[in-house]
């Protein structure tokens, strides 16, 4: 497997980054996780735009050339040659001794690994999720400071849940690595404030409107999540996943509902077209 460091492709086992890199020392970095369909990267422009915006928000550099990063991604995916890839692009502030907060030169690392087969049963039967109190700092930024997410995922794994959903002051926010949607009647709700605006979330919102359904982007309570007719979560790597139970409470009939299934079909059509 090859990786790309600041534009140079090297063998993964020979790749080197300084131990003084602020990403290593402080989790001071931003990232994107992308995947391919039919070998081409899904929603590349949207991911690059978000990466650029994360770099800017954290004042990591005066300017950042996402077009260059995009070329590196395409080159690396081709070099590794997997049928489908999961790509991680990570930008860290670089080195500055122990004076944190500033770096001299960003480090851009790209890893493209073979996309693992996803268990079909999660899409057919749905998954269980748990709620957990908390939220992400600078939520619009996709930051590498993932310790709260790791802890939340460990808690979820301990109770056999697939994902942990953050709830802040009673308001549902997002999953540790996903966005959350609820369906009530013929209206679909998804939080907007204090969450990462997922690339898949954005696409699903557009698909909902295309199907002639109503989508409301805004806050909702944990009670609304429990009482939803249908719930699903989204992410770039796994797409749309139906939720059958939240905190052990059955959602709807305890299996993927009809609106979720229609949206999953529309989502599948979209990605299949991209893969051609
Ligand atoms: N995570 N919210 C959070 C906190 C996330 O980390 C992610 C993605 C999402 C979904 O965003 P998108 O649709 O752009 O993937 C929402 C990725 C999969 C990760 O951490 O690897």
């Amino acid at each position: 497997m090859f990786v790309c460091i600041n534009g140079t492709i090297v063998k993964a086992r020979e790749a080197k980054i300084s131990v003084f890199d602020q990403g290593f020392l402080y989790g001071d970095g931003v990232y994107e996780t992308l995947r391919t369909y039919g070998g081409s990267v899904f929603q590349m422009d949207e991911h690059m735009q978000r990466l650029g915006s994360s770099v800017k928000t954290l004042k990591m550099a005066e300017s950042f050339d996402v077009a260059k990063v995009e070329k590196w991604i395409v080159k690396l995916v081709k070099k590794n040659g997997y049928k489908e890839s999961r790509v991680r692009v990570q930008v860290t502030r670089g080195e500055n001794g122990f004076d944190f907060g500033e770096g001299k030169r960003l480090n851009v690392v790209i890893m493209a690994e073979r996309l693992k087969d996803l268990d079909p049963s999660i899409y057919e039967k749905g998954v269980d999720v748990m709620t957990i109190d908390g939220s992400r700092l600078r939520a619009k930024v996709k930051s590498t400071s993932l310790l709260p997410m790791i802890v939340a995922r460990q808690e979820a794994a301990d109770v056999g849940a697939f994902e942990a959903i953050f709830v802040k002051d009673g308001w549902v926010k997002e999953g540790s690595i996903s966005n959350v949607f609820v369906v009530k009647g013929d209206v679909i709700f998804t939080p907007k404030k204090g969450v990462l605006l997922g690339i898949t979330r954005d696409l699903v919102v557009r698909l909902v409107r295309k199907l002639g359904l109503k989508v409301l982007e805004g806050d909702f309570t944990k009670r609304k999540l429990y009482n939803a007719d249908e719930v699903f979560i989204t992410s770039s790597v796994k797409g749309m996943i139906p939720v059958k139970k939240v905190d052990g409470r059955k959602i709807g009939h305890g299996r993927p509902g009809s609106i979720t299934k229609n949206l999953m079909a529309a989502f599948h059509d979209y990605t299949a077209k991209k893969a051609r």
Side-chain angles (χ1 to χ4, degrees), residues 31-33 42 47 50 86 88 136 139 142 146 149 166 174-179 195-202 234-238:
Y31 77 108
E32 285 295 318
T33 306
F42 174 69
H47 279 286
R50 188 171 64 187
R86 175 191 208 273
R88 179 175 166 115
R136 292 170 48 253
K142 198 159 165 57
L146 288 169
M149 275 49 81
F166 287 117
E174 64 190 326
S176 68
I177 50 167
S178 62
N179 288 113
V195 303
L196 185 78
L197 294 176
I199 306 300
T200 319
R201 173 195 178 282
D202 195 52
T234 62
S235 78
S236 291
V237 176
K238 300 195 175 104

Side-chain angles (χ1 to χ4, degrees), residues 17-264:
I17 284 283
S18 165
V19 293
F20 293 100
D21 183 277
Q22 302 226 104
F24 176 71
L25 289 175
Y26 313 120
D28 177 9
V30 297
Y31 77 108
E32 285 295 318
T33 306
L34 308 88
R35 66 157 289 176
T36 63
Y37 283 96
S40 58
V41 176
F42 174 69
Q43 310 294 79
M44 176 77 99
D45 291 352
E46 289 81 352
H47 279 286
M48 289 303 100
Q49 219 181 339
R50 188 171 64 187
L51 183 66
S53 142
S54 293
V55 167
K56 199 170 160 200
T57 308
L58 294 187
K59 302 187 174 69
M60 294 176 77
E62 301 267 303
S63 66
F64 183 66
D65 188 354
V66 287
K68 201 165 67 181
V69 177
E70 178 174 335
K71 284 197 190 109
W72 294 345
I73 295 173
V74 172
K75 206 164 128 193
L76 181 69
V77 166
K78 207 163 154 210
K79 174 84 180 170
N80 277 327
Y82 302 126
K83 188 163 174 276
E84 297 295 3
S85 310
R86 175 191 208 273
V87 182
R88 179 175 166 115
V89 184
Q90 173 158 316
V91 182
T92 53
R93 211 180 294 263
E95 298 177 52
N96 194 28
F98 290 111
D99 283 335
F100 66 80
E102 281 185 41
K104 297 201 172 69
R105 198 192 72 162
L106 299 184
N107 275 321
V108 181
V109 177
I110 309 171
M111 291 158 269
E113 60 167 16
R114 185 192 307 278
L115 182 77
K116 290 191 191 86
D117 286 339
L118 301 165
D119 174 4
S121 81
I122 63 174
Y123 302 96
E124 287 155 16
K125 295 189 179 144
V127 296
D128 296 355
V129 301
M130 69 172 279
T131 59
I132 185 167
D133 280 343
S135 61
R136 292 170 48 253
L137 179 73
R138 295 273 189 283
K140 301 277 181 282
V141 172
K142 198 159 165 57
S143 154
T144 57
S145 305
L146 288 169
L147 198 54
M149 275 49 81
I150 290 169
V151 172
R153 294 186 69 73
Q154 281 169 346
E155 286 194 28
D158 286 346
V159 297
F162 183 84
E163 173 64 306
I165 308 285
F166 287 117
V167 175
K168 170 94 174 149
D169 302 326
W171 301 101
V172 175
K173 292 294 167 193
E174 64 190 326
S176 68
I177 50 167
S178 62
N179 288 113
V180 59
F181 288 74
V182 306
V183 181
K184 191 75 190 164
D186 56 1
V187 184
I188 295 155
F189 300 82
T190 189
K192 188 170 189 180
K193 264 194 277 167
V195 303
L196 185 78
L197 294 176
I199 306 300
T200 319
R201 173 195 178 282
D202 195 52
L203 172 62
V204 170
V205 165
R206 282 186 281 132
L207 293 175
V208 169
R209 296 203 172 110
K210 219 169 145 192
L211 288 182
L213 295 163
K214 195 170 170 193
V215 60
L216 286 179
E217 294 180 81
D219 286 345
F220 56 82
T221 61
K222 188 153 109 172
R223 180 192 292 257
K224 184 153 189 155
L225 178 66
Y226 286 158
N227 294 329
D229 298 332
E230 303 177 25
V231 176
F232 61 88
I233 54 175
T234 62
S235 78
S236 291
V237 176
K238 300 195 175 104
M240 284 181 62
I241 305 177
V243 171
K244 61 177 164 54
K245 272 187 189 168
V246 178
D247 293 337
R249 297 159 191 243
K250 208 195 272 182
I251 299 298
H253 300 291
R255 50 179 186 273
S258 58
I259 292 185
T260 305
K261 283 207 261 187
N262 288 344
L263 277 168
M264 285 171 79

